[in-house]
Amino acid sequence: MDIGAVMNTMRDPAGIPAQPVIFQVLMVLTWVLHIAFVHLALGSAGLAIYAFHRRAAGGDWARLSMAMTKVAKVCVSLLIVLGVAPLLFTQVIYDPQWYTSNVLSGRWAIAFIFTLIVGYCCWFAFYHANREQTKRQVGCYAWVALLLFCLDGLIMHALSYQALLPAKWMSWYAPGGVVDTRGAALHAIQWPRYVFIMGLSVPAVGVYLIAYAHYFAPRTDREAGYLAFARNLGKRIARWGFALSMLPMLAWQLDLPAGTGLVAQPVGWLILAGLALMAIWSGLLSDRTNGYMPAAGGLLLLSLLALWREIVRIRYLRPFGYDIRSYHVNPDWPSTVLFFLTLAGIGGLVGGFYLTLLYQAGRNERCYDADRYVARLATGAVSVLGVWIAAFFAYGFVISVRDSFN
Ligand code: HEM
């Protein structure tokens, strides 16, 4: 059986509504946001637990633990919401691979949702119980949550990785010629890739702490001593985190299959160089350096990683004759225009308004008064939202009426 022909046949016969490269770029960009919040959630959860167990040592550990518990709580919800966009784009251009991989591990794909729900509930239990005088046992909730989140990352990884190995699908579907429809196994795990991507959570919480100290500097209710503690801890975690991440990244590089030419590809090595640079820079940061800069450097590195994952996917699938550029395009301009206008209007203006508002309000410990600029943004956001809802329903109504007469 020619598995390449099978993959191309499994594509959506209706085609896709715009050029495949548009979906590819959006997939890579939106994945950066997803994984950034995965890293921050896991990193802050880990630090919250560590700080919780160090409370007895005194100092600012109890306070840091409570703060990081809140950060993880918010980040889990954001990583879920922001995971939807790359999921949809993957399903548009890599539908044969993604669905096959999900069906081959069907039980795990479904277990992913339940374990995420249980893990998140456990985190909330920890969040409510994590106070200065709480008993040590409360930490169990947090451990269970963190382990379940790591399991979810493993499931995500296996689903992504199995999708790259079409030559093995038949042996997983019908081992020894006997069909096994249980979907009970995670068939392929590339440990260096998993450990590297998940391990970036450590430097992520480091650069976050540096930004955290910078952000709260104008507030008088966050004492300078506590912020200095957070910043110095962040510098140490970032330095060691970036440096240690080089090991699994190197192992991933050396684990890449020879025939794909990936080892000679510069982007993978550029990531390694980026990790080294970030490790050195984090150690040299002076107190005058803008605290947001290391986080910006981290995001740049994540963009390289997102690009690298896509290069890896293209190279793994190329020998099977799978190329997204040959996907049948069935242009649908109105929906494409609606999509981009939504992205700019709702994502840009409404999202921009919320972010500006939250940023400014959070830096102010007293009653917050929006300035004229934010007030104008608010008016713009509400107007755009109104126009968007009207256009959405009008468009749907016109299409339904037109279809019912055809
Ligand atoms: C705690 C929960 C989660 C963790 C720890 C996690 C972690 C990860 C990791 C590590 C990867 C990269 C895998 C690899 O390249 O080897 C990944 C990819 C991905 N995740 Fe998540 N994730 C979580 C939840 C979600 C959710 C809820 C969604 C969707 C709503 C989602 C959507 C995606 C998508 C679409 C990809 C890329 C798949 C691909 O390109 O093949 N993730 N995630």
Side-chain angles (χ1 to χ4, degrees):
M1 187 194 314
D2 177 1
I3 198 78
V6 171
M7 279 196 287
N8 285 315
T9 314
M10 284 199 295
R11 284 173 164 178
D12 187 346
I16 53 177
Q19 286 304 320
V21 68
I22 296 179
F23 295 99
Q24 189 178 34
V25 171
L26 289 168
M27 181 183 71
V28 170
L29 290 180
T30 52
W31 187 79
V32 175
L33 296 177
H34 167 61
I35 205 69
F37 282 101
V38 167
H39 288 150
L40 198 48
L42 297 179
S44 53
L47 182 58
I49 297 175
Y50 177 77
F52 179 78
H53 290 299
R54 284 212 61 180
R55 290 174 312 163
D60 289 307
W61 290 107
R63 189 176 184 183
L64 186 71
S65 174
M66 287 186 274
M68 290 301 113
T69 308
K70 269 191 210 162
V71 173
K73 180 197 72 170
V74 173
C75 284
V76 174
S77 80
L78 284 172
L79 80 85
I80 296 172
V81 172
L82 292 166
V84 176
L87 184 62
L88 298 182
F89 294 125
T90 303
Q91 288 168 355
V92 171
I93 48 176
Y94 290 112
D95 45 340
Q97 293 81 12
W98 182 255
Y99 289 124
T100 306
S101 182
N102 273 257
V103 169
L104 284 168
S105 299
R107 288 191 187 179
W108 289 94
I110 292 169
F112 170 80
I113 299 173
F114 290 103
T115 49
L116 189 52
I117 292 172
V118 174
Y120 205 12
C121 289
C122 287
W123 194 260
F124 264 91
F126 179 61
Y127 165 70
H128 281 294
N130 189 0
R131 303 277 175 267
E132 300 253 358
Q133 305 304 330
T134 311
K135 292 196 197 105
R136 262 180 82 82
Q137 289 85 320
V138 164
C140 292
Y141 289 117
W143 278 108
V144 173
L146 186 58
L147 288 176
L148 287 176
F149 294 153
C150 291
L151 174 68
D152 290 331
L154 188 67
I155 298 173
M156 269 294 142
H157 161 73
L159 295 179
S160 303
Y161 186 53
Q162 288 171 186
L164 307 184
L165 306 170
K168 300 200 173 149
W169 289 350
M170 272 312 288
S171 66
W172 295 334
Y173 173 63
V178 181
V179 172
D180 177 359
T181 54
R182 290 175 305 147
L186 287 179
H187 300 281
I189 295 170
Q190 193 177 30
W191 287 106
R193 173 171 166 157
Y194 170 72
V195 172
F196 170 62
I197 299 183
M198 295 287 278
L200 284 177
S201 309
V202 177
V205 73
V207 295
Y208 176 80
L209 281 179
I210 300 170
Y212 172 87
H214 183 95
Y215 178 74
F216 282 118
R219 281 179 57 157
T220 48
D221 58 342
R222 301 285 199 283
E223 302 81 34
Y226 170 64
L227 294 181
F229 162 73
R231 185 182 162 91
N232 290 333
L233 182 67
K235 273 165 61 175
R236 276 210 315 274
I237 296 178
R239 188 177 59 209
W240 283 104
F242 282 120
L244 288 176
S245 295
M246 292 174 70
L247 293 174
M249 179 60 201
L250 193 63
W252 182 14
Q253 283 290 88
L254 300 178
D255 198 35
L256 292 167
T260 53
L262 278 166
V263 181
Q265 237 285 336
V267 178
W269 299 109
L270 213 61
I271 295 178
L272 262 170
L275 290 169
L277 270 177
M278 287 297 292
I280 296 168
W281 186 38
S282 311
L284 297 176
L285 282 178
S286 84
D287 285 351
R288 286 198 311 277
T289 314
N290 183 310
Y292 301 142
M293 294 306 281
L299 267 181
L300 209 65
L301 209 57
L302 283 191
S303 310
L304 270 184
L305 171 63
L307 179 67
W308 181 231
R309 280 179 83 253
E310 188 51 12
I311 294 172
V312 167
R313 177 167 14 215
I314 292 170
R315 291 289 178 94
Y316 267 72
L317 296 178
R318 189 186 282 169
F320 300 96
Y322 193 90
D323 183 343
I324 58 154
R325 286 171 300 180
S326 63
Y327 216 117
H328 173 63
V329 178
N330 202 357
D332 179 359
W333 286 109
S335 78
T336 307
V337 170
L338 191 63
F339 170 79
F340 279 106
L341 286 179
T342 304
L343 194 67
I346 305 292
L349 192 60
V350 180
F353 160 64
Y354 277 124
L355 285 179
T356 315
L357 179 79
L358 291 173
Y359 180 85
Q360 292 193 354
R363 288 196 109 186
N364 188 328
E365 76 255 37
R366 281 182 291 277
C367 181
Y368 167 69
D369 262 333
D371 56 26
R372 267 185 43 204
Y373 169 69
V374 178
R376 277 206 201 124
L377 265 183
T379 313
V382 173
S383 319
V384 161
L385 212 54
V387 172
W388 182 78
I389 292 171
F392 187 84
F393 280 108
Y395 185 52
F397 181 72
V398 170
I399 299 285
S400 315
V401 171
R402 200 187 61 183
D403 285 354
S404 60
F405 284 108
N406 278 339

